[in-house]
Amino acid sequence: MGKMAPMMIFADCSSSTTAHHLLPFGRSCELWPSNLIHSYRSLSCSPLPLPNPSPLSLSYRSSSSTLCSAAMATESLAKVIDGKAVAKQIREEIAAEILRMKDAIGVVPGLAVILVGDRKDSATYVRNKKKACDSVGINSYEVHLPEESTEQEVLDSISRFNDDPSVHGILVQLPLPLHMNEVKILNSVAIEKDVDGFHPLNIGRLAMRGREPLFVPCTPKGCIELLHRYGIEIRGKKAVVIGRSNIVGMPAALLLQREDATVTIVHSRTMNPEDITRQADIIISATGKANMVRGSWIKHGAVVIDVGINPVEDAKLPRGYRLVGDVCYEEAMEVASAVTPVPGGVGPMTIAMLLSNTLTSAKRAHGFR
Ligand SMILES: Nc1nc2c(c(=O)[nH]1)N[C@@H](CN(C=O)c1ccc(C(=O)N[C@@H](CCC(=O)O)C(=O)O)cc1)CN2
C-alpha cells in the first residue's frame, strides 16, 4: 500500500458508505462486559495525534513517547487513513457534479433534516450537515421540534417533506427522545428520499443478493469508501465487525459481504472476541466503548477502521473532554498496516456520504446521469 490507488469515481462521487458519540447513541447500544473495556484513564495511551501532514496519501505518523503499555516497539508504524482529507475531496467532487446538474437541467438537490430535542451533540451534527450542504450547493431545510413534541408532529413533518418535490433527501437525526417510536418514524420516510438508508426496505435489499438498496447508511458507506479510496482490497479478506447496531455494525457487515469479504460479527455476547478479532485482515469497530480494542486484538498488518467517537475526561482541554475511538490508537499503530484516527477518520465521511446520497437521490428523481 503506498499512495491512494487510482480508481473510478462514479457520478454520485462514491467509488463504487454511541455511546459512539457524546452520549449513548440510540437505543440499540449494547452492554459490553466490563472486563473488555479499558477506560482512558486505565491506559497510558498518548495524547491524540497531530493533524495528518499529508492529505490524501497514506502517511506515517510518529507516536509520542508515552505509548500504551501493551504495545511493543516494532520497525514501523501503521499508515493513517485520513478521512477528513478524503471527505474534503468527495465534497469537491459533489460540488462539481451539482453545478453540472444545475447548468444542464436547473435542478438543485434539497436535503431536509428533522431534529427533535436539545441534545448538544445532535445539534452540532445537524449544524455540520447544514454547513456541508452549503459548501457543495445543496439546499437544506431544517425542522427543530422541542423534546416534548408528539410522535405525530414528527410524522407530520416527514409527511410534508415526502410530498415536497424540492426535497430529495429526508433524515431524522438520531437518537430520538425515548417516548418516540423510532421504528414507526423511520418507516414513514419515503424510501426514495431515505438518504440515511435506515428504511427496512433499503436495509432488506442490502442484505439480499441480486437486490440493490436505493441508499446505503452513511457511516458504513464511508468506511467502505475509505477502503476503496486507499486501494485496500476487500475481496477474499477476513473481516471482523465489532458491534451489531442497526445503523453501523449490521449494515457494515452486509456491505463487506457484498464486497466478497468473509465476515464475522463480534458482539457483546461473543465468546473470546479478542481471538476472533485477531484473525481479521480488516476490522471495523463500532462499539462506542473507548479503547476497548487493544493492540493484542489486532493481527500484524490488519487494517483498522474505528467508528467509535467516545468522550474521555481531559481537564486540560477547555471543553473538559476529548474524543477517542473504540480502538487504542497507539497500540493499533504498532501492529496494524493502516488505521483511521478519531477524530478525523470515519466521522467526516458520514457527512460526505450523506451529501453523496442526496445527490444520487436528486439525479434519480430527475433522470439525470
Ligand atoms: N440520522 C442519523 N443520526 C445519526 C447518524 C446518522 O448517520 N444519521 N450518525 C451519528 C451522528 N453523526 C451524524 O449524524 C455524525 C457523528 C460524527 C461526525 C464527525 O464528523 N465526527 C468528528 C468529530 C466531531 C467532534 O469533534 O465533535 C470526527 O469523527 O472527526 C459526523 C456525523 C448519530 N446520529
Side-chain angles (χ1 to χ4, degrees):
M1 251 183 310
K3 293 241 177 207
M4 280 200 301
M7 66 185 320
M8 178 101 95
I9 304 297
F10 297 120
D12 69 345
C13 304
S14 72
S15 60
S16 39
T17 165
T18 88
H20 298 250
H21 309 285
L22 294 184
L23 290 165
F25 169 72
R27 293 161 200 172
S28 56
C29 185
E30 293 198 62
L31 294 174
W32 290 80
S34 57
N35 64 334
L36 291 181
I37 297 162
H38 310 271
S39 74
Y40 172 71
R41 277 199 230 95
S42 74
L43 296 173
S44 55
C45 286
S46 62
L48 281 182
L50 295 168
N52 190 335
S54 170
L56 300 192
S57 66
L58 286 173
S59 61
Y60 294 85
R61 184 183 282 170
S62 64
S63 97
S64 77
S65 55
T66 49
L67 290 172
C68 301
S69 52
M72 299 301 292
T74 50
E75 61 289 352
S76 65
L77 289 177
K79 291 140 190 176
V80 176
I81 298 177
D82 188 344
K84 195 172 168 189
V86 174
K88 180 170 179 283
Q89 183 178 309
I90 292 172
R91 284 198 303 275
E92 286 164 10
E93 293 161 7
I94 289 172
E97 198 55 14
I98 287 174
L99 213 54
R100 188 174 74 84
M101 182 163 71
K102 190 176 173 189
D103 286 349
I105 60 169
V107 171
V108 174
L111 174 68
V113 180
I114 298 166
L115 172 64
V116 189
D118 299 315
R119 284 177 63 118
K120 269 193 177 169
D121 57 342
S122 291
T124 303
Y125 297 139
V126 167
R127 204 169 42 247
N128 290 344
K129 286 174 186 183
K130 185 185 180 320
K131 262 197 234 160
C133 284
D134 292 347
S135 77
V136 299
I138 291 176
N139 290 333
S140 62
Y141 310 89
E142 188 190 329
V143 167
H144 189 177
L145 297 169
E147 176 84 20
E148 58 282 2
S149 307
T150 62
E151 203 172 283
Q152 192 54 48
E153 285 173 290
V154 180
L155 292 171
D156 289 345
S157 294
I158 293 173
S159 173
R160 273 195 301 278
F161 289 132
N162 279 343
D163 294 340
D164 184 342
S166 65
V167 170
H168 304 95
I170 302 170
L171 79 84
V172 181
Q173 187 64 31
L174 299 178
L176 283 163
L178 285 172
H179 66 276
M180 291 191 181
N181 181 339
E182 186 181 292
V183 174
K184 192 169 169 193
I185 287 172
L186 295 183
N187 288 4
S188 74
V189 174
I191 178 177
E192 68 277 9
K193 298 189 180 187
D194 174 37
V195 285
D196 253 338
F198 296 158
H199 195 288
L201 272 175
N202 276 320
I203 295 284
R205 289 182 188 182
L206 185 65
M208 294 171 82
R209 284 173 75 81
R211 306 285 176 90
E212 290 303 322
L214 293 177
F215 303 100
V216 171
C218 301
T219 302
K221 185 174 173 180
C223 297
I224 301 298
E225 190 69 27
L226 283 175
L227 295 173
H228 285 168
R229 292 203 179 217
Y230 275 87
I232 295 164
E233 182 80 33
I234 304 175
R235 176 175 300 163
K237 294 290 161 58
K238 285 187 190 150
V240 165
V241 176
I242 312 178
R244 55 179 168 178
S245 69
N246 284 341
I247 73 159
V248 186
M250 179 266 289
L254 293 174
L255 273 175
L256 285 164
Q257 187 169 274
R258 284 177 89 95
E259 300 264 340
D260 296 326
T262 302
V263 184
T264 305
I265 298 177
V266 164
H267 53 76
S268 55
R269 301 285 179 270
T270 300
M271 307 292 279
N272 304 321
E274 176 172 350
D275 295 344
I276 295 169
T277 306
R278 207 182 300 111
Q279 293 172 27
D281 303 304
I282 297 170
I283 299 168
I284 296 184
S285 181
T287 68
K289 301 294 174 196
N291 295 320
M292 188 177 105
V293 177
R294 303 294 302 263
S296 60
W297 292 42
I298 301 167
K299 181 169 84 176
H300 186 84
V303 173
V304 179
I305 307 291
D306 190 351
V307 179
I309 304 175
N310 310 296
V312 294
E313 237 180 79
D314 189 339
K316 281 186 252 111
L317 295 179
R319 61 181 180 179
Y321 68 89
R322 63 204 182 95
L323 299 175
V324 301
D326 294 348
V327 179
C328 182
Y329 184 77
E330 284 76 9
E331 290 184 358
M333 290 295 287
E334 295 288 322
V335 278
S337 60
V339 180
T340 58
V342 177
V346 175
M349 292 297 288
T350 296
I351 294 183
M353 294 300 99
L354 174 66
L355 303 176
S356 162
N357 282 351
T358 306
L359 171 60
T360 300
S361 182
K363 283 179 158 183
R364 197 184 279 135
H366 294 273
F368 183 72
R369 287 169 181 272

